[in-house]
Amino acid sequence: MKILLTGSTGYIGRRLLPYLVDAGHSVVCPVRDARRFDFEDFNEDFLKHVEVIECDFLNKDSLQKLPKDIDAAYYLIHSLNSNSKKFSKMESDSAANFVQYINNSKTNQVIYLGGIVNDDELSEHLKSRHHVEDILAKSKAPLTVLRAGIIIGSGGASFEIIRDLVEKLPVMIAPKWLNSKCQPIGIANVMDYLMGVLANDKALNKTFDIGGKDILTYKQMLLQFAEVRGLKRWIITIPVLTIRLSSLWLYLVTSTSYRLARNLVDSMKNEVIAKDDSIKEAVDIELYSYKESLERTFQKIDQKQIISSWKDSFASTSFNETFLTQIEAPKYGCFKDVRRFTFERNADEVAKNIWQIGGERGWYYGNWLWEIRGFMDKLVGGVGLRRGRRSPDDLKGGDALDFWRVLEADRPNKRLLLFAEMKLPGDAWLEFKIKPEDDKNCLIQTATFRPLGLWGRLYWYLVFPFHGFIFKNMAKNLISYKEST
């Protein structure tokens, strides 16, 4: 079959693609920027079955590039963590343009992954998901809807937020709706269902709720997470935390953006449990319990197999995706801090250190200062340091890296370019590259700052004294650092 997979660079789509190819399907992947597609993760034989086409479902004219001979299509476009206040309209427009494309194609089935809807009074993002269902139902192709609650998997927003809370806070003071019930489902089971309904006559024009084995309160989920990690945690629920205060608390404590925190907290008012098990009539699989899903997730993390992360979504910040076209820092109207150090050590070893910068490894010098800067960024509405990185030793263009975004990750040429997503009175870049120089190797580390107005210039002069020892020692340690055995 020829399958259209929207959201192929997103959290669910990245994981679904190998399942589809392994099942013998040809897959068309519409993406806004082909550079974000993980070509390097797949071998040549795999890529023979994949076609990547640049287009944007918010721009219906760009959809003319897509083929019409599609057998089935997955709609996995969501804007839950978008900072845009118009995310509901964005989701509606995107779905409407998708339907127009489907109606001009040979598609025999549309599959949509949405959210469980149990209550009449829904959160903003659940209303939007439900409205998208209504729009997709207007297409001429039969629609299959899978409604899920919290999805448990490495790199997933819900999992990472739970992890932040449990692993960092021995005692939690939480809102009363932490007692709301939900039915978490493991990412492996979500893949089973997404594959199981494909070309399945029993799933056409049907809507299914999907969930794991267990129905739990959010409080029970946190405590069971602590049990799996061998931690003792205490949770105190109080009735006085408003949605706004709860969102701010979640934003400051975890790696989430404020918009995502607000949407998640708002959704916790609603119970998200599967109404029935009618999905078994179409796809009967073995479900994992919540703890089993957690254990499987940590196995993937231990094996460094984090395929995708919600933090890499451009919608999670105010980052402008067009910056990916700027693979060089600007030269004019900027302040620069350039550090050059020659070294005799193997260049690949130093490049390995560069590629492992940030996250748990840290920034090689003054990590506590970087943490203070990250906390200050959070206080003014920035992303802070808690995002970490998707993988401890792999970087791709578009990846989130603490409060930076990877613009260029050219491993063969030993060059890494980062763009700052922290709140600044201007724009900032940080570049690392290694070049041969006088029969030796040279690490060139360049911090570039393009100030915005007078305050931008004042900011540079205020932080310049700190650069003197932070950037100098960071470069030296990048060269000398060796992992302990």
Side-chain angles (χ1 to χ4, degrees):
M1 294 176 62
K2 192 170 185 178
I3 311 295
L4 183 81
L5 177 62
T6 66
S8 59
T9 60
Y11 179 70
I12 299 294
R14 279 187 181 180
R15 293 161 186 266
L16 184 58
L17 177 59
Y19 283 81
L20 292 169
V21 173
D22 290 346
H25 302 299
S26 297
V27 187
V28 177
C29 299
V31 298
R32 285 183 295 177
D33 190 330
R35 288 167 301 178
R36 296 206 66 217
F37 188 84
D38 299 328
F39 290 101
E40 65 274 19
D41 287 351
F42 307 114
N43 59 40
E44 187 175 339
D45 288 338
F46 183 98
L47 291 174
K48 287 179 181 178
H49 303 282
V50 177
E51 182 180 5
V52 178
I53 300 175
E54 285 192 342
C55 63
D56 185 350
F57 280 92
L58 288 173
N59 177 6
K60 61 183 177 182
D61 292 336
S62 71
L63 306 186
Q64 298 296 323
K65 304 174 186 177
L66 298 177
K68 302 296 191 294
D69 58 338
I70 296 295
D71 295 302
Y74 285 90
Y75 191 78
L76 302 175
I77 300 174
H78 297 306
S79 301
L80 168 60
N81 53 346
S82 173
N83 273 332
S84 172
K85 295 180 180 179
K86 299 179 180 178
F87 86 94
S88 295
K89 184 179 186 304
M90 291 168 59
E91 289 200 328
S92 297
D93 291 346
S94 177
N97 291 336
F98 173 82
V99 167
Q100 184 174 335
Y101 159 73
I102 291 297
N103 288 342
N104 291 315
S105 73
K106 299 179 180 178
T107 308
N108 297 313
Q109 183 186 20
V110 171
I111 300 169
Y112 173 59
L113 180 63
I116 289 178
V117 180
N118 282 340
D119 300 332
D120 294 330
E121 295 185 9
L122 299 175
S123 66
E124 184 181 0
H125 105 262
L126 283 178
K127 282 181 183 176
S128 181
R129 294 280 175 91
H130 192 49
H131 184 53
V132 167
E133 286 183 27
D134 294 337
I135 296 173
L136 297 179
K138 295 176 182 178
S139 77
K140 69 175 186 180
L143 175 64
T144 300
V145 178
L146 298 176
R147 294 174 172 174
I150 287 181
I151 297 175
I152 302 299
S154 57
S158 300
F159 171 81
E160 295 295 345
I161 289 170
I162 293 170
R163 185 182 184 184
D164 278 345
L165 290 173
V166 173
E167 295 188 354
K168 295 175 180 176
L169 299 176
V171 180
M172 284 173 261
I173 299 175
K176 62 181 179 180
W177 48 83
L178 211 65
N179 293 318
S180 298
K181 292 180 180 179
C182 60
Q183 193 170 354
I185 181 171
I187 187 66
N189 282 151
V190 174
M191 294 296 112
D192 291 337
Y193 282 131
L194 285 169
M195 291 297 297
V197 298
L198 178 63
N200 185 335
D201 291 339
K202 294 181 179 179
L204 299 181
N205 291 315
K206 296 286 183 65
T207 297
F208 303 105
D209 287 353
I210 60 173
K213 271 187 180 180
D214 302 325
I215 296 176
L216 305 167
T217 64
Y218 292 102
K219 181 177 180 178
Q220 289 172 325
M221 286 178 62
L222 292 169
L223 292 175
Q224 287 192 24
F225 190 104
E227 289 178 23
V228 169
R229 300 300 285 161
L231 301 170
K232 187 68 175 176
R233 294 294 183 259
W234 291 267
I235 301 174
I236 303 169
T237 56
I238 58 176
V240 295
L241 283 180
T242 65
I243 290 178
R244 177 174 174 77
L245 287 175
S246 299
S247 302
L248 285 171
W249 175 76
L250 198 63
Y251 163 70
L252 290 172
V253 171
T254 73
S255 56
T256 184
S257 65
Y258 178 75
R259 182 70 188 183
L260 179 54
R262 178 67 184 240
N263 285 332
L264 290 174
V265 169
D266 196 26
S267 299
M268 289 173 68
K269 301 178 299 183
N270 306 115
E271 289 195 345
V272 283
I273 58 178
K275 293 179 180 178
D276 56 54
D277 58 0
S278 60
I279 184 66
K280 288 184 178 180
E281 298 174 9
V283 184
D284 193 8
I285 63 172
E286 180 182 351
L287 292 171
Y288 297 111
S289 68
Y290 174 61
K291 284 188 175 181
E292 287 171 336
S293 294
L294 290 176
E295 289 165 353
R296 288 175 60 87
T297 296
F298 278 107
Q299 286 175 6
K300 295 292 184 183
I301 292 173
D302 292 341
Q303 296 165 7
K304 300 181 181 179
Q305 295 180 351
I306 303 178
I307 299 171
S308 56
S309 173
W310 72 272
K311 299 170 186 175
D312 295 331
S313 168
F314 290 135
S316 66
T317 70
S318 58
F319 181 79
N320 186 340
E321 190 171 353
T322 60
F323 266 99
L324 277 182
T325 63
Q326 301 180 17
I327 59 173
E328 298 287 345
K331 295 181 179 179
Y332 305 106
C334 299
F335 295 110
K336 290 183 180 289
D337 182 295
V338 182
R339 308 285 168 173
R340 302 174 64 95
F341 292 95
T342 55
F343 60 93
E344 297 181 355
R345 189 180 179 189
N346 185 289
D348 288 332
E349 294 177 356
V350 177
K352 181 180 178 181
N353 286 342
I354 293 173
W355 248 251
Q356 294 180 342
I357 199 167
E360 293 185 6
R361 170 66 61 87
W363 291 84
Y364 292 96
Y365 182 80
N367 281 332
W368 62 277
L369 291 171
W370 288 91
E371 289 171 2
I372 290 174
R373 183 64 183 89
F375 179 71
M376 291 170 62
D377 190 52
K378 273 276 189 178
L379 289 180
V380 295
V383 295
L385 280 182
R386 290 197 179 98
R387 288 190 310 182
R389 46 184 294 160
R390 172 183 54 82
S391 167
D393 52 15
D394 179 47
L395 290 173
K396 298 182 178 68
D399 274 4
L401 175 57
D402 291 337
F403 45 49
W404 301 88
R405 179 75 64 170
V406 179
L407 295 186
E408 179 84 345
D410 186 352
R411 190 69 177 263
N413 292 310
K414 301 177 177 60
R415 177 176 182 263
L416 179 66
L417 178 64
L418 309 177
F419 176 77
E421 290 190 274
M422 66 189 87
K423 296 287 186 179
L424 291 170
D427 296 320
W429 293 259
L430 183 59
E431 181 184 40
F432 306 91
K433 56 186 177 183
I434 298 174
K435 288 187 174 183
E437 188 173 290
D438 298 330
D439 298 325
K440 294 183 179 181
N441 292 307
C442 181
L443 170 64
I444 306 169
Q445 174 187 284
T446 306
T448 302
F449 182 69
R450 183 168 60 193
L452 180 63
L454 181 61
W455 170 233
R457 294 176 178 274
L458 179 61
Y459 171 84
W460 173 262
Y461 290 118
L462 287 173
V463 300
F464 187 77
F466 296 98
H467 291 175
F469 58 89
I470 292 177
F471 285 148
K472 177 182 176 181
N473 288 295
M474 182 171 70
K476 286 184 174 180
N477 290 342
L478 278 168
I479 294 171
S480 62
Y481 182 85
K482 293 182 180 180
E483 291 185 276
S484 58
T485 55

